[in-house]
Amino acid sequence: MKQFINDRGTVVSEAIDGIICTPEGRLGRLDGYPHIKVVVRTDWDKSRVSLISGGGSGHEPSHAGFVGEGMLTAAICGEIFSSPSVDAVLAGILAVTGKPGCLLIVKNYTGDRLNFGLAAERARALGYKVRMVVVGDDVALPSLPQPRGVAGTLFIHKIAGAMARAGADLDEIADAAERIAGQVVTLGMSLDTCTLPGLPKEERIGLDMAELGLGIHGEPGVEQVPYSTAKEAMNLLIDRLEPHAGPGSLVALINNLGGCTELEMSILTSTLMKSSLGGRIKELIGPSALMTSLDMKGFSVSLFSASGEDLTALRSSVIPTSWPGLKKAEKAEIIDIPEGLRPAKPVPSNNEKTKNLIVKCCRILSELEAELNSLDAKSGDGDTGSTLATAAKSLSSRLDQLPLADPPQLLRSIGQELSETMGGSSGVLMAIFFAASGDSLSGGGDITKALKNGLERIKQVGGAKPGDRTLIDALEPALEVLGQGLEDAAIAARKGADATAKITRAKAGRASYVSEENLAGYNDPGAEAVARLLEGLVPD
């Protein structure tokens, strides 16, 4: 798998050099590369308790991305998914620890516990005050005597950081950290595994499956489950997580494990707030990439029953820009659209023949979704089928509100509906087509003439003409012969759609940006949709 790396052996050290090139200029690294990889605050004067965390790399921005005023004092970085050495941890302790002492915040993995623990013993032997808290917030495998430490660890980074900045002593901070570690719970889910730099990807999770509770090092989770939607995935995760959550109001940390888009994370956040747990979540951290697993396409949710001083500490500002801050979880405020954009509501009426025709059209377009998307992927952005199917489903749901017995008003209403539900330029053009057809029909004449006038209007507005490789190549010949019957119109549309496969230079639409070799041999998806719709309407 292609990746933007230079050498497998230097990915961590090069990444650290990138992290510390911050505009604030308050981060540096200890000498001793490449064996000792420690990111430290350069503005630290050792007058307060220092906070040190770390572990294997590959979880960025954890942990180096949280070094700075208000959070960590130093981060000890191992190789990808590998614990740092005892010497690296000890070097970090000695570099930033003064008389007030230091707290080690360690995720519950054997290598981290051993290496940080031995470094702590050696530091104490040298006269340093050191305490260590081990975080095991993962509830994926609740029967484990040593649960893993995952994204919930960041609650401790933040609260301990605020306490240290306020001047609390080591025991106060360590006791609070241990208390929080006992209250935070986390569970994750992923659709795919991660990719180690320079190595092939492990294909363990099926295309229609998700893995619940897999670890941040890509280790297998508690089980693989069928995947269908974000809602079902989130509800399953909440069902497993909720019994472990504390009482009362909750803070939720929504973590991107590395490979989810911001769009997906926003959908997951919305779904979380609508879940059975949503009413108890009063504050949110994220959605953000906070403790990742390289490029893993997954997410995790961490819950903490925070109140009082803990909430105050979570709300305090920090220098590290990787920390997204704490936000109140509020319902979206709905604001009425301006009066000028509020469409006049037509008077609903019924006509069974017209209703059945619209239902059939919508069904045909919905069933073509995947096929048209695949065709559009050859020359566009792969969404023609989804755009048409979304509009068709919406129109189907509003049939009882349409003036089915009033053709001119019906065409205008369909145009209005498409302007609201059908995205992109195609939605605008179809809205113009139906609105103009309705206007024409209200002035007299038959439906074929009205539809031709609608076509002329979209040609004027859109600028496309026959031969430009658009839906017009199928729609215009179909309307020319529609008066002779639906079968003739379908044949003309098919001939026009198939002709677009030979047009290798589109002059309108997104296909106009696509090279000739990518267009040759493939019908324009809009023209194909017109042909398939008319063919589907021809009686058997």
Side-chain angles (χ1 to χ4, degrees), residues 183-530:
Q183 296 175 331
V184 174
V185 292
T186 299
L187 186 59
M189 176 181 284
S190 185
L191 302 178
D192 205 353
T193 55
C194 57
T195 307
L196 294 172
L199 295 177
K201 190 181 190 72
E202 179 191 4
E203 303 294 347
R204 187 180 72 236
I205 304 174
L207 291 177
D208 57 349
M209 302 294 287
E211 193 158 280
L212 183 67
L214 73 175
I216 57 172
H217 306 114
E219 62 268 36
V222 60
E223 63 178 311
Q224 289 196 16
V225 296
Y227 173 76
S228 59
T229 64
K231 180 179 180 179
E232 290 191 9
M234 180 62 78
N235 286 341
L236 175 60
L237 184 140
I238 292 302
D239 285 345
R240 304 290 181 90
L241 185 60
E242 190 169 8
H244 304 279
S249 299
L250 298 169
V251 177
L253 184 150
I254 308 167
N255 176 48
N256 183 347
L257 284 165
C260 292
T261 62
E262 291 193 18
L263 182 71
E264 290 170 291
M265 293 306 300
S266 295
I267 291 170
L268 288 166
T269 301
S270 171
T271 307
L272 171 63
M273 296 309 299
K274 294 173 184 175
S275 72
S276 60
L277 202 62
R280 294 179 56 196
I281 297 173
K282 304 303 181 184
E283 314 268 353
L284 290 171
I285 299 169
S288 300
L290 296 166
M291 186 174 287
T292 66
S293 181
L294 295 171
D295 62 346
M296 184 181 289
K297 192 173 183 62
F299 71 98
S300 66
V301 175
S302 302
L303 301 174
F304 176 38
S305 182
S307 60
E309 293 181 354
D310 290 337
L311 274 178
T312 300
L314 287 172
R315 289 173 180 145
S316 64
S317 62
V318 297
I319 290 297
T321 56
S322 297
W323 181 253
L326 189 72
K327 297 166 285 190
K328 282 189 175 295
E330 298 179 346
K331 291 184 179 180
E333 183 178 355
I334 308 300
I335 302 171
D336 288 340
I337 61 173
E339 287 292 337
L341 292 176
R342 193 171 296 166
K345 292 184 179 181
V347 178
S349 59
N350 190 40
N351 181 298
E352 285 299 317
K353 184 177 179 181
T354 301
K355 181 177 182 179
N356 291 337
L357 175 62
I358 295 175
V359 167
K360 189 172 184 179
C361 290
C362 291
R363 177 179 56 78
I364 293 169
L365 292 175
S366 295
E367 291 174 352
L368 289 173
E369 179 175 4
E371 189 173 344
L372 291 177
N373 280 346
S374 178
L375 184 61
D376 188 32
K378 311 291 185 184
S379 59
D381 53 3
D383 69 348
T384 292
S386 296
T387 298
L388 290 169
T390 298
K393 292 171 185 174
S394 178
L395 186 60
S396 294
S397 70
R398 290 175 52 85
L399 283 176
D400 292 340
Q401 303 172 45
L402 295 178
L404 298 174
D406 185 344
Q409 287 301 325
L410 175 60
L411 290 172
R412 292 182 180 124
S413 296
I414 291 174
Q416 181 62 47
E417 178 69 22
L418 295 181
S419 73
E420 296 174 1
T421 62
M422 191 174 176
S425 57
S426 57
V428 177
L429 291 173
M430 285 296 95
I432 292 171
F433 173 72
F434 282 101
S437 298
D439 290 343
S440 175
L441 192 60
S442 66
D446 61 22
I447 185 67
T448 300
K449 179 181 177 182
L451 294 176
K452 286 181 179 179
N453 287 335
L455 174 61
E456 288 303 313
R457 187 65 59 83
I458 65 171
K459 288 165 65 176
Q460 294 169 8
V461 175
K465 59 184 183 299
D468 285 352
R469 204 179 197 278
T470 70
L471 61 83
I472 292 174
D473 290 305
L475 183 57
E476 182 163 283
L479 292 181
E480 287 298 325
V481 298
L482 182 59
Q484 301 172 22
L486 196 56
E487 186 172 356
D488 286 346
I491 292 171
R494 170 51 56 200
K495 183 178 179 180
D498 290 345
T500 62
K502 299 176 182 178
I503 302 174
T504 57
R505 182 58 181 165
K507 298 179 181 178
R510 291 192 177 178
S512 62
Y513 308 120
V514 179
S515 62
E516 294 184 9
E517 58 266 27
N518 288 331
L519 297 179
Y522 299 107
N523 288 8
D524 174 75
E528 180 67 16
V530 171

